[in-house]
């Protein structure tokens, strides 16, 4: 500032001296005054030109360094430019933080939608777009009620009571793939709303399965318990001869055995779900597995022999000298369940084939083929559900628990294998387990 004043005084002094020289016809004092006036006018014009250049720079809105401006206006231009740069840096930092925040919301497993005070969509993440079928770009500023036409949600939005969440059917829900969404609105800012959504389909399915499981277990155990209780009361209150007592005790033993089988299957399922999958270090002889499986199948066939003494035509092919990596107990359980199901559902005298074959791609297949009544296509996708039965009355008559194929499914998954079911009504069924090539090898010589 001092240097500018000094320059101004020098400019005025030069103007006074020049005025005395130019206006020699007047008195020296008058010449100096005229020179001072002329110098002041010239200074003002130069300063106005500098101000005009600064004003033009500001009008253009340029963020680059302004053209060189001297004097007081230069100081103003420099300070203005520094202030603009600071504001730009602050805006850039805010934008970076905003983008990080939006990226974090995009990564959220929950859907997030920002609504203005008129319930129009200001922004939504990809998860919400998938949940509701929105277009994150085209549907911006659209009223959420026009895009999400669920009566339950419309009532929730109009009620203005957002203390709890609601569960609605997803717009993309189908009968084969149901979708259930939990939706919760939160107020923020001046009349704005935050809509959060999460997919609760798996949770609701798990809860439904849990309720069904408890109900099924209770029903399966209640029936034999009722029979046992009735027989016990009969034995306690009625005088029976030895033959009647023996018959009742045999029936009680059968019901007790049925409960024992159910408990064992439940424990097997629990163990399969709660233990790590088997490794590839233990190798089991396929021939030994088929031999044990055949013994169980023939024993069950004898128990289910009809009044005419007719047995099943059970044929087990001689297995190749191969080994399979996995748990012997689990593999035997899965194979026996498939064979036992075939024995239970195939009428006496029917044919059942059991075999093992190596596929061209190196994988191996264990299969059970029967000449039973077959299964309608609508039942096949649900056969591995717990307690699901195509013919519940026949399954209970033959001692089935409804858990056999559920156990087979778990064992198959734990060994990286694939369960295949082929069946047609009246043409029998074929159940097979296809093991990956990495779990099968030729029997090692001793």
């Amino acid at each position: 500032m001092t240097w500018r004043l000094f320059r101004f005084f020098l400019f005025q002094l030069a103007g006074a001296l020049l005025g005395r020289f130019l206006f020699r016809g007047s008195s020296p004092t008058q010449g100096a005054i005229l020179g001072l006036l002329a110098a002041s006018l010239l200074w003002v014009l130069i300063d106005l030109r500098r101000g005009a250049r600064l004003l033009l720079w500001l009008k253009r809105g340029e963020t680059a360094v302004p053209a060189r401006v001297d004097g007081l206006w230069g100081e103003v231009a420099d300070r203005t430019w520094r202030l603009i740069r600071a504001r730009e840096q602050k805006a850039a930092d805010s934008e970076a933080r905003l983008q990080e925040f939006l990226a974090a919301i995009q990564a959220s497993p929950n859907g997030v939608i920002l609504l203005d005070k008129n319930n129009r969509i200001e922004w939504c993440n990809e998860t919400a777009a998938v949940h509701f079928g929105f277009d994150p770009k085209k549907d911006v500023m659209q009223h959420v009620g026009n895009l999400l036409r669920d009566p339950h949600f419309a009532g929730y939005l109009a009620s203005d009571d957002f203390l709890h969440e609601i569960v609605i059917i997803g717009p993309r829900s189908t009968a084969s793939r149901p979708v259930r969404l939990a939706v919760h609105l939160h107020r923020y800012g001046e009349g704005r709303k935050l809509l959060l959504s999460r997919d609760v389909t798996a949770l609701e399915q798990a809860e439904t399965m849990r309720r069904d499981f408890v109900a099924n277990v209770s029903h399966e155990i209640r029936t034999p318990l009722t029979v046992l209780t009735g027989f016990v009361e009969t034995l306690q209150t009625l005088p029976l001869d030895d033959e009647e007592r023996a018959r009742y005790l045999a029936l009680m033993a059968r019901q007790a055995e049925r409960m024992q089988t159910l408990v064992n299957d439940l424990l097997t399922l629990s163990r399969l779900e709660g233990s790590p999958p088997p490794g590839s270090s233990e190798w089991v002889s396929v021939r030994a597995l088929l031999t044990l499986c055949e013994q169980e199948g023939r024993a069950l066939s004898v128990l289910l022999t009809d009044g005419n003494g007719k047995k099943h035509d059970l044929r087990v092919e001689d297995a190749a000298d191969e080994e399979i990596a996995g748990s012997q107990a689990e593999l035997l359980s899965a194979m026996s369940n498939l064979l036992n199901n075939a024995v239970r559902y195939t009428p006496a005298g029917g044919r059942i084939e059991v075999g093992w074959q190596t596929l061209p791609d190196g994988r191996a297949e264990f299969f059970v083929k029967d000449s039973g009544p077959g299964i309608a296509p609508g039942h096949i996708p649900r056969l591995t559900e717990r307690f699901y039965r195509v013919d519940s009355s026949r399954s209970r008559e033959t001692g089935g628990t409804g858990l056999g194929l559920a156990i087979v499914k778990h064992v198959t998954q734990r060994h990286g294998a694939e369960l295949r079911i082929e069946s047609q009504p009246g043409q029998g069924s074929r159940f097979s387990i296809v093991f990956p090539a990495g779990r099968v090898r030729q029997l090692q010589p001793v």
Side-chain angles (χ1 to χ4, degrees):
M1 189 69 182
T2 304
W3 171 244
R4 290 196 192 91
L5 290 176
F6 180 69
R7 285 201 307 169
F8 176 74
F9 288 135
L10 285 178
F11 195 82
Q12 296 296 91
L13 179 61
L17 294 175
L18 187 60
R20 292 187 63 180
F21 176 76
L22 292 176
F23 300 103
R24 286 177 294 182
S26 304
S27 64
T29 302
Q30 290 178 341
I33 292 173
L34 290 174
L36 284 173
L37 292 175
S40 298
L41 179 61
L42 182 60
W43 182 271
V44 169
L45 291 175
I46 294 174
D47 208 42
L48 287 176
R49 182 174 179 274
R50 292 170 179 169
R53 291 174 61 188
L54 175 61
L55 182 61
L56 179 63
W57 175 69
L58 292 174
K59 285 182 177 180
R60 289 176 177 174
E62 297 175 356
T63 57
V65 181
R68 177 76 180 171
V69 179
D70 297 327
L72 179 62
W73 294 113
E75 181 70 20
V76 172
D78 184 63
R79 292 183 179 274
T80 302
W81 179 76
R82 291 177 183 274
L83 182 61
I84 291 174
R85 291 293 299 168
R87 294 287 177 86
E88 286 181 344
Q89 186 61 44
K90 187 176 181 180
D93 293 341
S94 299
E95 179 66 22
R97 287 195 296 271
L98 175 61
Q99 293 302 323
E100 291 177 359
F101 178 71
L102 293 178
I105 298 179
Q106 285 287 10
S108 171
N110 296 330
V112 180
I113 301 177
L114 304 182
L115 304 177
D116 65 9
K117 60 182 179 180
N118 295 318
N119 296 323
R120 292 177 299 185
I121 300 173
E122 291 184 321
W123 183 87
C124 72
N125 66 354
E126 291 293 337
T127 305
V130 172
H131 284 173
F132 302 110
F134 294 166
D135 188 317
K137 295 181 179 179
K138 294 182 180 180
D139 291 334
V140 171
M141 300 315 293
Q142 294 290 326
H143 194 283
V144 68
N146 295 335
L147 301 175
L148 186 55
R149 299 179 178 273
D150 186 279
H152 194 21
F153 176 76
Y156 176 63
L157 183 63
S159 67
D160 213 31
D161 178 16
F162 309 139
L163 296 178
H164 62 283
E165 67 180 18
I166 62 171
V167 178
I168 64 174
I169 299 175
R172 298 183 178 181
S173 178
T174 61
S176 59
R177 292 191 62 183
V179 178
R180 305 278 288 178
L181 302 174
V183 177
H184 201 173
L185 282 167
H186 301 268
R187 294 186 181 87
Y188 79 98
E190 298 181 0
R192 286 180 164 80
K193 299 180 184 68
L194 174 69
L195 190 152
L196 301 178
S197 64
R198 56 192 178 94
D199 193 333
V200 295
T201 306
L203 292 176
E204 292 211 344
Q205 289 177 343
E207 179 62 22
T208 301
M209 290 177 62
R210 185 193 66 81
R211 290 196 301 266
D212 293 344
F213 180 72
V214 172
N216 285 323
V217 170
S218 301
H219 176 72
E220 294 292 337
I221 294 180
R222 186 186 301 116
T223 301
L225 280 177
T226 302
V227 175
L228 283 173
T229 303
F231 286 148
V232 169
E233 292 177 353
T234 301
L235 291 173
Q236 289 175 338
T237 59
L238 296 178
L240 302 173
D241 55 31
D242 292 341
E243 183 179 351
E244 290 177 327
R245 183 179 292 105
R247 185 167 64 87
Y248 285 150
L249 289 175
L251 292 173
M252 292 172 65
R254 182 176 178 183
Q255 296 300 323
E257 183 181 356
R258 177 180 170 188
M259 283 195 297
Q260 182 66 37
T261 303
L262 176 62
V263 171
N264 288 337
D265 283 350
L266 289 173
L267 291 176
T268 300
L269 272 176
S270 178
R271 184 175 66 253
L272 291 174
E273 292 178 343
S275 62
S280 302
S281 58
E282 179 184 355
W283 292 89
V284 185
S285 168
V286 174
R287 179 169 290 151
L289 286 173
L290 292 186
T291 300
L292 294 173
C293 185
E294 180 183 4
Q295 292 174 358
E296 292 190 22
R298 293 194 183 279
L300 180 61
S301 179
V302 172
L303 290 175
L304 299 179
T305 300
D306 64 5
N308 297 324
K310 250 180 139 180
K311 298 180 181 179
H312 295 93
D313 181 13
L314 177 57
R315 301 184 182 184
V316 180
E317 298 179 6
D318 185 27
D321 292 332
E322 293 184 351
E323 293 179 316
I324 182 169
S327 167
Q328 179 176 1
E330 293 183 15
L331 292 170
L332 178 59
S333 175
M335 294 177 177
S336 296
N337 270 300
L338 290 184
L339 178 54
N340 291 345
N341 277 348
V343 172
R344 288 191 179 97
Y345 288 98
T346 301
R351 181 171 178 173
I352 301 174
E353 298 177 11
V354 181
W356 175 274
Q357 61 180 357
T358 303
L359 302 179
D361 58 2
R363 294 182 298 169
E365 179 188 48
F366 167 80
F367 66 88
V368 177
K369 184 178 180 182
D370 63 60
S371 60
I375 305 168
H379 292 290
I380 292 179
R382 301 190 59 190
L383 288 179
T384 56
E385 294 180 13
R386 298 174 181 181
F387 298 108
Y388 185 82
R389 294 183 174 94
V390 177
D391 186 349
S392 58
S393 61
R394 175 163 176 77
S395 179
R396 291 191 179 95
E397 289 174 2
T398 56
T401 63
L403 297 173
L405 287 178
I407 293 174
V408 174
K409 181 187 73 171
H410 279 78
V411 172
T412 301
Q413 293 174 345
R414 287 166 57 84
H415 287 77
E418 176 188 358
L419 175 62
R420 295 178 179 178
I421 303 174
E422 304 169 19
S423 184
Q424 290 290 336
Q427 300 180 17
S429 304
R430 187 181 189 275
F431 289 77
S432 63
I433 303 176
V434 180
F435 295 95
R439 282 189 175 267
V440 182
R441 73 178 185 184
Q442 291 294 317
L443 183 63
Q444 300 296 314
V446 180

